[in-house]
Every structure is written in C-alpha cells, then in structure tokens.
Amino acid sequence: MNVQKNYYKIGIIALFATFTSCKMLAPVESIEKPELPVSFADSKDTINSATIKWKSFFSDKNLQSLIDTALTNNIDLQMTLQDIEIARNDVRIKKGLFLPTVSGGLAVGTEKVGRYTSTGAGDASTDITPGHGVPETLNDFSLGIRASWEVDIWKKLRNSKKAAATRYLATIEGKNFVVTNLVAEIANSYYELLSLDNQMDVIKETIQLQKNALEIVKVQKDAARVTLLAVRKYEAEVLNSESLEFDIKQQIKENENKINFLLGRYPQTIVRDKTVFESQIPIQINSGIPSQLLANRPDIKQAELELFATKCDVKAAQAEFYPSFSISGGLGFQAFKPSLLFTTPESLAYSLLGELTAPLINRNAIKAEFNKAKAYQVQAMYNYQKTILNGYVEVSNELSNIKNLEQLYALKSKEVEALNSSISISNDLFRSSKVDYFEVLMTQRDALSSKLELIEAKKREFNAVVNVYKALGGGWN
C-alpha cells in the first residue's frame, strides 16, 4: 500500500514539474504590423492601379495572348500549383489526427506453452468444458476492431491543423506572387522585343542613308574633291552599322526564346505589332497609399500568413510539455476453434483503457523543439517586416523612375529632332564643300546613337510602368 502511495506522489510531482516548467517557456509576444509612411511622395490619393486586372491594364491584344498562354503553360507556375496541392493534403492529414484511429483485423495463430510453467500448469488443470481439458497446442482465432484517440485537451492538434491551414493559404498567395512576377516579366520582355524591332528599323534606315552618302563621296573622289580616305571612312561606317544590325537580330532571337520559355513552349516567332511601340503611350499609374500594399501585394500577405503559422507552431510545441490523455479500446471475438468464434458471450472480447502520460526524461529534446519553433517565429517576423519595407522601396524607386524617364524622353526627343535636321544640313554643306566629310560622318553617327537612345528611353518608360504595377501588387487578379 505504501508503494502505491509513493507512485501517486511521484506522478503528482512529475505533473507539477511539467506545468511549472511550461510557464517558463512562454511563446513570443504578439507582433504588430510595422508602421508605413502615410503616402508616396506626398500624394494621399487612394486610387490604386493595382486593383486593375491585367487584361485591362495591358491593352495590346498580342501581349494579352502571350500572358494567357503563360498562365496556362508556365512550368514554374505549374510547380507552384503542386505546392498548393501538397499544402492542401497536409491540412487533411492534420485534420485526420482529430478523429479516432480505427482498425479492423483477422488474426490466426497457434501456441504451445511449456508444461512446467504457470500458464502450462494452469491449462493442464483447467477444463474448457466439463470433461474436456485445454489442448496442449492451442490455436487462436480472433476477429475485431481496435480504436485509439488522443483527446486534444491543450489544443496541440488544433494548433497544428491551424498552422497547416494557414500555410495552405500562404501557398495560394505564393502562387499569386509567381503570377504577378510572370505577368511583369512577359510584359517587360515583350516591350524589349518591340524596342529591338524599332531599333532594327532605325539601323536599316541609317544604313541606307550612309550608303547614299557613300555613293556621293565616291563621285566626289572621282572628281578629285575628296581623297580615298573619305571613301574608306564611309565604307567603314556602313560596315559598322551593318554589324549593329546582326547584333540586334541576335538580341531579338534571344528575347523571342525567352518569352517562349516563359510560355512553356519551344522557340517560335512571337506575334507582335512593332508600330504599337511608337503609337502607344505608357499608361498613367495611380500609386494609392502605402497601407494598401498590405492588402494588394501577395508576397506581403504570404509573409503575414507564414508569421501566423509559426505562432501556431509555437503553441503546438508548448503543448508537448503538458500531459496527454488518450483513450484506446477494442471489441471482437476470440476463440481457439473457428466454430466457437461467434459464440457469445463466451467468445466476446473487449478492452478499454484511458491513459494520461507526461514527458519526464526527454524534456530537453522537447524544450529544444519549442525553442526552435520560437526561432522560426522570430525569423518569420523579420521576414514580414523586410517584405513590407522592400515593397515600399520598390514602389518608391519605380515612381521616381517614371518621373525622371518622362523628362529624359522629352529631352531625347528634342535631341533626335535637332540631329535629324543637322543631317540634311551637313549633307548640303558637304556638297558645297563648306564642311569636310568627317563632320557629316559624326553627325550621322550622333543621330543614329540618339535615335537608339530615344527608343531605349521609351522602352524603359514601359518597363517602369510595368514594374510599379507589379510593385503595387497588380497582375495576379
């Protein structure tokens, strides 16, 4: 009796130690969202371009078709969809742990125990029925079900399920973030392709002008008005421009292949209208207010969900210190002969057990798991803050970029206009021998360079608009 009392005392002391130590292992305090500035560049307009669906944002039908194809076939996006499926099944697994585990089975066996054992001696002196003793070789036939269930007293299973469900939602936001980046990357590559087409036209036009000038120089050389050096200089200039043409051709090919890769298909010609680049004006962007980033950007929402999931993980890890209560039992039939298997109540067998257990020896391992879960939560907190900060910086950079590119494009347009008029002036002066061939060459070279830079500036304008649309959280809806 004293021994039994000692067991009770030991059990009570162990449970008290468990609860006391759990109070020392507190989870991380609740984490508030970091404060964002009230506006982008002093604008408090709440109209936000991120709410515009991408099909409305991009009016070019060819670009729309490319994005549609990518959203169906892109390999990275398909892989992300499998992440969602994995997370969905993880939720089902956690949900299944709430329910009792039930198994059914049929067992057949045989056993012979030693005669000079307590079991053997007891069987030898026992009659199963009057006049019929227990056989030396005893068969065993059983049929029944067994069940076990852990009662979720401390919400350990509930928090594990909540963490899994939250991570499932986070994978959906992760997919949206992939879509946002995919739409932006295709749009930027498409505008790059259009700019290369227009650069190709400028180079071809320049080559034709240079060839015309070369013919004039050859005539003047025959008339002894210029030397052979002028002819060779013009020939070199034509060859230089022709080499640029092949460089642009290679860039076009590589951009087409890049877009095809994003579309999940083998290289083929990208259907496009290069005149759109010249006629289309980059759309005006409304940035809204910074706090809207929390609702619009999928990566921020994903980081927030991951943070909440780690909080649930910490609670589940903390519950490992508490005693767990489980119920198990079985019900079935058992007999040494098949003909007696369903004889009731003699062959009926059942069991029921309630068990309360608490960890004693392996507490350091549980404590390490708890501290690891806390570290993951702190890490998720910093990642959340970093993602918000990164989102604000991206928007701020691109808004400034748009503003500066507008000024750059306006100045480059005036530069091209001035150089275009200077080409005809220099040609006229050259024919009348008022300037030498070198000035004509330099004027043509400067005009070509400025035209290419103008096209590049417009492409950067389109890219900046696409990038700020992405930074604001547009493109996934």
Side-chain angles (χ1 to χ4, degrees):
M1 189 71 176
N2 290 332
V3 174
Q4 190 174 11
K5 288 182 178 179
N6 289 335
Y7 282 142
Y8 288 146
K9 289 180 180 179
I10 292 171
I12 292 171
I13 292 171
L15 291 176
F16 178 76
T18 297
F19 283 105
T20 302
S21 63
C22 287
K23 291 181 180 179
M24 298 171 61
L25 295 169
V28 179
E29 294 296 327
S30 60
I31 301 162
E32 296 182 358
K33 296 177 181 178
E35 290 188 9
L36 278 163
V38 295
S39 64
F40 294 111
D42 300 326
S43 172
K44 295 184 180 180
D45 189 354
T46 57
I47 300 175
N48 196 310
S49 294
T51 59
I52 303 174
K53 294 184 178 181
W54 65 262
K55 280 195 175 181
S56 300
F57 189 82
F58 300 110
S59 58
D60 190 324
K61 298 298 182 183
N62 293 320
L63 177 55
Q64 289 179 1
S65 177
L66 293 174
I67 294 174
D68 261 331
T69 303
L71 295 180
T72 304
N73 299 332
N74 180 262
I75 297 174
D76 288 334
L77 184 56
Q78 296 302 318
M79 292 170 64
T80 304
L81 293 177
Q82 295 310 306
D83 288 337
I84 295 176
E85 188 63 26
I86 291 169
R88 181 187 291 118
N89 283 286
D90 193 34
V91 174
R92 291 172 180 167
I93 292 171
K94 299 297 183 183
K95 185 177 180 181
L97 296 177
F98 277 95
L99 304 175
T101 301
V102 181
S103 60
L106 171 66
V108 178
T110 185
E111 181 184 25
K112 179 186 181 303
V113 297
R115 178 68 173 78
Y116 301 111
T117 62
S118 60
T119 303
D123 289 346
S125 60
T126 302
D127 288 343
I128 293 180
T129 57
H132 295 85
V134 178
E136 286 190 13
T137 301
L138 190 65
N139 295 323
D140 185 18
F141 299 91
S142 61
L143 175 68
I145 58 173
R146 292 196 61 82
S148 62
W149 180 43
E150 181 179 352
V151 183
D152 192 27
I153 301 175
W154 315 112
K155 298 182 180 181
K156 178 180 69 175
L157 300 177
R158 196 172 307 171
N159 281 312
S160 294
K161 178 197 169 188
K162 193 180 293 184
T166 305
R167 287 195 169 92
Y168 165 67
L169 297 176
T171 58
I172 295 176
E173 296 299 339
K175 185 267 293 184
N176 292 338
F177 189 56
V178 171
V179 170
T180 295
N181 284 278
L182 179 61
V183 169
E185 190 171 3
I186 291 174
N188 281 331
S189 298
Y190 180 76
Y191 290 127
E192 172 78 18
L193 197 55
L194 294 183
S195 74
L196 290 171
D197 288 338
N198 281 268
Q199 287 181 37
M200 179 67 78
D201 289 342
V202 169
I203 290 173
K204 288 181 177 179
E205 181 184 340
T206 302
I207 290 172
Q208 189 57 49
L209 288 173
Q210 290 172 344
K211 285 182 176 180
N212 293 339
L214 176 59
E215 294 302 319
I216 294 172
V217 171
K218 285 180 179 179
V219 171
Q220 292 194 342
K221 188 263 180 186
D222 293 339
R225 294 180 61 184
V226 297
T227 64
L228 181 62
L229 177 61
V231 176
R232 291 290 179 258
K233 281 283 188 179
Y234 269 88
E235 288 176 344
E237 198 68 17
V238 172
L239 293 172
N240 180 64
S241 298
E242 288 177 340
S243 68
L244 285 177
E245 181 181 358
F246 288 103
D247 183 52
I248 296 295
K249 280 184 178 180
Q250 179 60 27
Q251 292 182 52
I252 289 173
K253 188 65 177 178
E254 289 177 2
N255 263 274
E256 284 189 320
N257 288 345
K258 178 184 177 181
I259 294 174
N260 282 312
F261 178 78
L262 293 173
L263 270 57
R265 67 189 189 189
Y266 287 99
Q268 54 186 274
T269 301
I270 300 297
V271 178
R272 59 197 185 271
D273 181 6
K274 62 185 177 182
T275 61
V276 170
F277 188 80
E278 277 296 324
S279 60
Q280 196 176 74
I281 301 174
I283 190 172
Q284 291 296 314
I285 284 286
N286 295 305
S287 60
I289 55 177
S291 60
Q292 292 173 324
L293 292 175
L294 303 178
N296 293 335
R297 280 188 62 125
D299 58 333
I300 292 179
K301 291 192 284 185
Q302 182 183 19
E304 184 178 13
L305 289 167
E306 286 288 352
L307 177 58
F308 182 78
T310 58
K311 183 179 179 181
C312 296
D313 288 337
V314 170
K315 290 182 178 179
Q318 188 181 31
E320 291 288 349
F321 289 97
Y322 301 143
S324 61
F325 179 63
S326 59
I327 301 172
S328 61
L331 177 65
F333 300 94
Q334 187 173 20
F336 66 91
K337 292 176 66 176
S339 59
L340 301 175
L341 186 60
F342 297 105
T343 302
T344 56
E346 289 83 357
S347 296
L348 183 66
Y350 61 85
S351 65
L352 182 64
L353 175 66
E355 188 175 21
L356 184 67
T357 58
L360 295 176
I361 304 299
N362 63 335
R363 295 180 58 76
N364 284 335
I366 299 174
K367 184 177 179 181
E369 285 291 336
F370 176 79
N371 288 331
K372 185 174 77 170
K374 282 180 66 174
Y376 275 127
Q377 184 182 8
V378 174
Q379 187 181 60
M381 174 192 68
Y382 287 127
N383 181 61
Y384 179 53
Q385 294 175 345
K386 175 186 172 183
T387 307
I388 292 175
L389 177 61
N390 179 65
Y392 181 87
V393 170
E394 283 184 357
V395 174
S396 178
N397 286 343
E398 294 302 334
L399 289 175
S400 175
N401 193 23
I402 289 175
K403 185 177 180 180
N404 290 322
L405 283 171
E406 287 174 353
Q407 301 297 322
L408 174 65
Y409 184 79
L411 293 173
K412 280 293 176 185
S413 297
K414 293 179 180 178
E415 180 184 344
V416 169
E417 185 179 348
L419 286 170
N420 280 337
S421 63
S422 67
I423 289 177
S424 59
I425 294 171
S426 64
N427 286 332
D428 292 339
L429 292 174
F430 177 66
R431 291 189 187 96
S432 59
S433 301
K434 292 182 179 179
V435 296
D436 60 21
Y437 66 90
F438 185 73
E439 290 188 50
V440 179
L441 278 176
M442 291 305 298
T443 303
Q444 291 179 346
R445 185 178 298 177
D446 290 342
L448 172 61
S449 177
S450 64
K451 287 177 182 179
L452 296 179
E453 289 173 359
L454 180 64
I455 294 172
E456 179 68 17
K458 186 159 189 179
K459 182 206 75 176
R460 289 173 60 190
E461 274 194 283
F462 277 112
N463 290 160
V465 169
V466 171
N467 291 337
V468 77
Y469 179 59
K470 179 187 77 170
L472 289 170
W476 60 268
N477 49 347

